[in-house]
Amino acid sequence: YSSWAEWIEAYRYDPFVQAYDDYWRYGGLGGAVYAELDSNPTFIKCLFDGNRTYGAFSGIGGNGSHEPWPDRHMKIENGGGAFFATRGCKVKMVDCTLRNNIADSSTIYDADPTADPPAEDIFDDYYVSFGGGVAYTDDCVFKVINTTFKNNEAAIGGGLYFDESTVDVADSN
């Protein structure tokens, strides 16, 4: 591919391809648990306490025959401070507690902390982290019963974040 736009246009998810996914799908997701490809975990009376995901920075690409892409270091998002699920997972949590979990919400990268005057910082958008307690995407079903979310942090969805998925929450705080 000669550009990200070309790659994105050509990319198609196929759950039947037995291969590892692109490296960025695994960076900074699920501080304690990462579930993928139609997994069906059930958690009963579990405690997720003090877990954390961290963002990262991409390298600068290119092999000499094309312009480098990306042409600068980019912040890679992170999510699911305690738990992350994607691609058709069916997750159930019963009588669980998720507390003090963090999806790193740092939105500034200090390119050279020792420079005087300070070097140019790289600023990012607020979507740098999601789901301090739990994050799930891409056709997941998440059922939560009698579960407590307390003091979880993220830029978006401190306790719970979901995208293109279904959530059913009952008797939970």
Side-chain angles (χ1 to χ4, degrees):
Y1 302 105
S2 62
S3 70
W4 275 106
E6 184 180 328
W7 181 86
I8 289 168
E9 180 65 30
Y11 180 80
R12 299 290 180 261
Y13 167 62
D14 182 350
F16 301 105
V17 172
Q18 299 298 312
Y20 286 102
D21 206 346
D22 300 294
Y23 73 93
W24 60 267
R25 292 289 299 192
Y26 302 108
L29 302 173
V33 177
Y34 178 99
E36 184 175 350
L37 290 176
D38 303 318
S39 298
N40 299 311
T42 298
F43 299 93
I44 301 172
K45 296 184 180 179
C46 291
L47 172 63
F48 294 90
D49 186 14
N51 299 287
R52 185 176 184 125
T53 58
Y54 293 91
F57 291 92
S58 70
I60 297 175
N63 62 7
S65 62
H66 298 287
E67 289 294 316
W69 185 258
D71 60 359
R72 61 187 169 88
H73 296 290
M74 300 177 77
K75 181 89 169 153
I76 297 174
E77 298 141 353
N78 71 99
F83 184 86
F84 180 84
T86 189
R87 299 183 180 187
C89 291
K90 292 175 182 64
V91 180
K92 186 174 183 179
M93 285 189 175
V94 181
D95 297 322
C96 293
T97 299
L98 293 95
R99 67 178 181 222
N100 304 316
N101 300 292
I102 299 172
D104 182 22
S105 60
S106 301
T107 58
I108 299 175
Y109 168 64
D110 188 350
D112 183 359
T114 62
D116 185 30
E120 180 180 331
D121 291 335
I122 300 171
F123 293 87
D124 209 328
D125 60 40
Y126 68 92
Y127 192 71
V128 71
S129 73
F130 49 95
V134 174
Y136 59 103
T137 64
D138 301 327
D139 299 318
C140 287
V141 176
F142 188 60
K143 187 169 187 171
V144 182
I145 302 167
N146 196 34
T147 292
T148 301
F149 293 84
K150 185 174 181 179
N151 296 328
N152 299 291
E153 299 176 24
I156 300 175
L160 181 62
Y161 173 88
F162 60 97
D163 181 43
E164 297 180 13
S165 295
T166 305
V167 62
D168 183 11
V169 180
D171 300 320
S172 297
N173 296 311

